[in-house]
């Protein structure tokens, strides 16, 4: 996991939701190299429990998650106010 201490609280964030650790790590490195704040989550439940839905940004969502299909997850995001 990359050091997130250099990012400010109000800064937009890219939320990566993917069950494959190498994919998450690679994407974190890619966004860090582009000076974009990114946070990775292992599954949709983890994101809903720990994610910052009030922050501006985007979600990079794996369509084939083990706990929920990425397309099925979109209504859950809407219900959570995102």
């Amino acid at each position: 996991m990359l050091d997130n201490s250099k990012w400010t609280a109000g800064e937009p964030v890219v939320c990566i939701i993917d069950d494959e650790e190498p994919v998450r790590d690679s994407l974190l490195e890619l966004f860090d190299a582009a000076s974009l704040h990114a946070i990775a989550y292992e599954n949709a439940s983890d994101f809903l429990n720990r994610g910052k839905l009030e922050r501006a940004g985007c979600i990079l969502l794996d369509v084939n998650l083990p706990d929920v299909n990425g397309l099925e997850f979109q209504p859950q995001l809407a219900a959570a106010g995102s």
Side-chain angles (χ1 to χ4, degrees), residues 16-57:
I16 302 161
I17 306 173
D18 196 297
D19 58 320
E20 297 180 41
E21 186 175 11
V23 173
R24 291 192 309 270
D25 290 344
S26 294
L27 289 169
L28 285 170
E29 289 180 22
L30 176 68
F31 287 119
D32 186 58
S35 297
L36 295 170
H37 183 190
I39 301 173
Y41 302 92
E42 188 173 346
N43 54 54
S45 298
D46 189 28
F47 173 77
L48 286 175
N49 292 330
R50 297 185 316 130
K52 305 290 187 203
L53 295 174
E54 70 277 358
R55 292 178 70 178

Side-chain angles (χ1 to χ4, degrees), residues 3-14 35-39 52 55-56:
D3 176 19
N4 282 324
S5 62
K6 65 183 173 182
W7 306 107
T8 60
E11 210 168 339
V13 62
V14 177
S35 297
L36 295 170
H37 183 190
I39 301 173
K52 305 290 187 203
R55 292 178 70 178

